[in-house]
Amino acid sequence: MKLSQFNFKLPQELIALYPHSVYHEIENEKGEKEMSRLTRRDECRLMVLHKKSNTIDLFKKDKKGKPIKGEFIQFRDIIDYFDEGDTFIFNDTKVFPARLYGMKEKTDAKIEVFLLRELNQEMRLWDVLVEPARKIRIGNKLFFDDSGTMVAEVIDNTTSRGRTLRFLYDCDHDEFKRSLFALGESPLPRYIIDARENHHGTEEDMEDFQTIYAANEGAVTAPATGLHFSRELLKRMEIRGINSAAITLHCGLGNFHDIEVEDLTKHKVDSESMHIGSEACAIVNKAKSEGKHICAVGTSVVKATETAVGTDGMLKEYSGWTNRFIFPPYDFGLADTMVANFYHPLSTLLMSTAAFGGYDLVMEAYRLAVENEYKFGCFGDALLILND
């Protein structure tokens, strides 16, 4: 397929800058009125796409099965589409505070450093992106705190914005990581940071941009579809007998890179580290052999499971890297259902969703989402794709 087939007009006001929330007016210590925001992860909208019947549901239904106009399906209603023994696959990667702000020695120029991954623990080497890149050269030193204890030296150029930094911090590795991350901010996507009045992340952002089941540190962006799951929803799923399996894929910034070729077969995506263990395989394969539904939570799970699925349709243990790029047409080997967010035009995430749900039906769902003012992006609303 062609890149231009995934373009559509997305109004700026439909891009979610915060997770779904409710707002209350409170009185602060000074007696002044101010708005308090309370995150409600599982109360965003959920559109439901039925692949075989080629239909799309936006609204809840009455006892006669007729849509109730104005009553949109909520994400927490997802439980109503699954039964005992069905299995959800979650990506349990954990986001770390990857965005740092520092100063270049001598000039005191302000520099943004985005941590990508640690290359060598003993030598404190990190692969990073820097902005503005033109000011940062090999041999420069960067300072990240007022005391001057957290210092990094640029030792190599990797890409136009990429650098290798060696942190000059004399302590054990665990203390170094704690000190480094204490200086960092939530790695919210650039489109969110740039659109907010305050162009910096907060402690609240770090919580909002983390799934409640995050366990394995290594992601620089959240597996966004998982952000909709609350503890209450997971408990309700458990009570109903819906199973869950955890895999790990450390989501990278490649999800936000522009595609520069019209022919999608010529686009290359960045590699991401992933791990699928024996426990996840056992849970998923048991459900599959019993004819139960397997639901992939997000495009990162689809990428990981399609990397590790065998020719027999069963999930295999895997530890390594994947650069799988999924776009239509694609024959999926494992999951029969999927839940995803509404993504930006021309994004690889939209392409993966269209491959799973069918190009025409998914693009129609996106048209309806814009028409009905659904929210898009990491904090946006969700789309459930069913194989019925």
Side-chain angles (χ1 to χ4, degrees):
M1 296 195 77
K2 304 299 183 182
L3 174 65
S4 54
Q5 292 176 266
F6 295 92
N7 200 8
F8 63 93
K9 186 176 181 180
L10 178 60
Q12 189 69 26
E13 63 270 18
L14 296 187
I15 299 174
L17 302 183
Y18 296 91
H20 184 85
S21 307
V22 293
Y23 293 85
H24 298 286
E25 188 177 72
I26 62 172
E27 189 174 291
N28 61 25
E29 295 177 352
K30 298 179 181 178
E32 301 168 334
K33 300 286 186 180
E34 60 181 34
M35 296 301 294
S36 172
R37 182 175 68 86
L38 185 61
T39 299
R40 295 288 194 215
R41 291 175 180 259
D42 59 9
E43 292 181 6
C44 71
R45 294 184 191 179
L46 177 70
M47 190 183 295
V48 182
L49 183 156
H50 303 268
K51 289 170 62 176
K52 289 183 178 177
S53 62
N54 207 44
T55 57
I56 300 171
D57 295 333
L58 283 70
F59 304 106
K60 296 180 180 181
K61 295 180 180 180
D62 61 21
K63 293 180 179 179
K64 296 181 179 180
K66 293 183 178 180
I68 306 171
K69 293 293 183 181
E71 284 195 31
F72 288 96
I73 301 168
Q74 291 184 312
F75 190 85
R76 60 185 178 183
D77 298 323
I78 194 172
I79 192 173
D80 297 330
Y81 296 89
F82 295 90
D83 296 313
E84 183 178 353
D86 291 339
T87 297
F88 279 57
I89 307 176
F90 296 96
N91 182 3
D92 68 1
T93 187
K94 187 175 183 179
V95 177
F96 62 88
R99 182 173 281 116
L100 303 174
Y101 295 94
M103 291 188 301
K104 182 181 173 184
E105 67 172 340
K106 297 180 182 177
T107 67
D108 287 343
K110 293 184 178 179
I111 303 296
E112 178 182 314
V113 172
F114 196 99
L115 303 172
L116 296 176
R117 66 180 184 275
E118 190 171 34
L119 301 173
N120 185 295
Q121 288 190 12
E122 185 178 348
M123 297 183 67
R124 308 281 196 265
L125 296 182
W126 278 77
D127 184 19
V128 307
L129 298 176
V130 295
E131 189 70 38
R134 67 183 184 278
K135 294 184 177 180
I136 305 302
R137 298 181 174 86
I138 294 174
N140 289 157
K141 285 191 173 66
L142 307 177
F143 294 83
F144 295 97
D145 59 2
D146 294 336
S147 66
T149 55
M150 185 63 73
V151 184
E153 181 181 11
V154 181
I155 65 170
D156 196 12
N157 298 328
T158 53
T159 63
S160 59
R161 293 177 55 221
R163 302 290 186 271
T164 300
L165 297 187
R166 180 175 62 212
F167 284 89
L168 311 174
Y169 198 85
D170 187 19
C171 63
D172 65 62
H173 182 259
D174 288 343
E175 183 183 339
F176 161 70
K177 287 282 287 289
R178 284 194 298 270
S179 299
L180 180 64
F181 288 175
L183 297 170
E185 293 182 0
S186 171
L188 292 173
R190 191 83 253 169
Y191 71 84
I192 292 180
I193 289 290
D194 291 344
R196 290 185 179 182
E197 290 184 11
N198 176 16
H199 300 312
H200 288 275
T202 65
E203 288 185 22
E204 193 175 41
D205 288 325
M206 200 65 223
E207 182 178 348
D208 287 341
F209 202 51
Q210 194 82 268
T211 63
I212 60 170
Y213 48 79
N216 295 306
E217 183 182 276
V220 294
T221 187
T225 305
L227 297 176
H228 301 303
F229 287 86
S230 64
R231 288 180 175 80
E232 292 77 12
L233 177 56
L234 290 180
K235 189 63 179 178
R236 288 174 58 215
M237 291 170 61
E238 181 185 340
I239 292 171
R240 182 163 293 195
I242 298 171
N243 298 321
S244 63
I247 60 96
T248 304
L249 184 141
H250 294 312
C251 305
L253 291 186
N255 298 302
F256 300 103
H257 290 169
D258 292 335
I259 299 177
E260 299 178 346
V261 291
E262 177 68 4
D263 182 355
L264 295 181
T265 63
K266 294 182 170 141
H267 177 64
K268 305 298 181 186
V269 300
D270 293 348
S271 293
E272 294 168 307
S273 175
M274 59 169 281
H275 175 77
I276 296 178
S278 59
E279 182 178 352
C281 291
I283 295 170
V284 171
N285 292 336
K286 181 176 184 295
K288 182 109 184 205
S289 63
E290 293 174 352
K292 302 297 184 179
H293 292 301
I294 307 296
C295 182
V297 178
T299 57
S300 66
V301 169
V302 167
K303 181 187 294 188
T305 55
E306 287 303 306
T307 299
V309 67
T311 55
D312 59 354
M314 295 296 174
L315 190 61
K316 311 298 182 184
E317 293 181 51
Y318 185 96
S319 188
W321 297 79
T322 181
N323 62 351
R324 186 169 294 260
F325 176 30
I326 297 175
F327 60 92
Y330 187 92
D331 186 18
F332 288 86
L334 186 75
D336 66 326
T337 62
M338 174 187 183
V339 58
N341 277 24
F342 285 98
Y343 304 110
H344 284 67
L346 306 176
S347 68
T348 59
L349 308 178
L350 166 56
M351 294 166 193
S352 294
T353 307
F356 197 95
Y359 173 81
D360 291 334
L361 195 56
V362 167
M363 295 311 289
E364 172 62 12
Y366 269 61
R367 186 192 68 77
L368 290 172
V370 172
E371 182 181 292
N372 289 274
E373 299 183 338
Y374 280 62
K375 293 294 187 179
F376 284 70
C378 293
F379 289 142
D381 292 313
L383 175 67
L384 173 63
I385 303 173
L386 299 174
N387 192 30
D388 63 5

